[in-house]
Amino acid sequence: MVDEQQGARQLTSRPDQPRELVLTGKPQSAREARQFAREYVMQSEPAASEDYIDAIVLVTSELVTNSIRYGTEPGDSLALKLHTRHGRTRVEVRDPVRRRPHLRPESHKRDRGRGLVILDGLCHWGVDDVAFGKIVWAEVIAK
């Protein structure tokens, strides 16, 4: 299924399987990713708490936004993959740039740069190199 307006393409559809969404490297794709993550978790874990769902949506938003800002060039795409099982959700974002994310020094002068600090507080995360890019992943565990 292709959503021409957003430029997103859903690759899998069974709720018990990982789901993947291909997004354009444009800022509005973060909104599509948040909606996709919320719907996926609500479908695959119907008893999930709102706090758990919100944490997954926030983690997804941070990973996708970072990928758009630092992991894509004009015309590039990125892939969001989600898998939920027994109160644990893995969020993966694959982009074509090998440059790894890094924590920035604390600063009160800029409005951005706190995403990885947020991730540290919500989940366990890391980076894997893959052919033609990287995958930044995070695992959120229900509390």
Side-chain angles (χ1 to χ4, degrees), residues 9-98:
R9 185 166 38 114
Q10 183 174 325
L11 298 179
T12 59
S13 60
R14 287 183 41 195
D16 61 331
Q17 296 294 315
R19 298 223 3 231
E20 188 168 330
L21 183 69
V22 176
L23 299 159
T24 61
K26 297 180 180 178
Q28 53 269 39
S29 292
R31 182 180 72 240
E32 179 76 15
R34 288 189 298 270
Q35 180 180 5
F36 178 77
R38 182 173 295 283
E39 290 173 3
Y40 170 73
V41 176
M42 290 174 69
Q43 183 180 40
S44 61
E45 293 278 341
S49 72
E50 194 62 34
D51 287 343
Y52 179 61
I53 295 168
D54 287 345
I56 293 163
V57 170
L58 180 56
V59 166
T60 299
S61 185
E62 290 297 331
L63 292 181
V64 168
T65 299
N66 282 350
S67 179
I68 292 167
R69 284 187 181 149
Y70 309 112
T72 60
E73 299 292 333
D76 285 345
S77 296
L78 57 117
L80 167 64
K81 185 175 181 180
L82 299 168
H83 189 229
T84 295
R85 186 178 172 120
H86 306 299
R88 177 184 295 248
T89 298
R90 184 174 175 98
V91 180
E92 297 180 359
V93 176
R94 182 179 184 149
D95 66 49
V97 174
R98 281 277 173 112

Side-chain angles (χ1 to χ4, degrees), residues 119-140:
L119 289 182
D120 281 343
L122 291 174
C123 61
H124 176 68
W125 67 276
V127 183
D128 294 327
D129 291 325
V130 294
F132 307 109
K134 69 178 173 302
I135 294 174
V136 182
W137 56 267
E139 290 189 354
V140 181

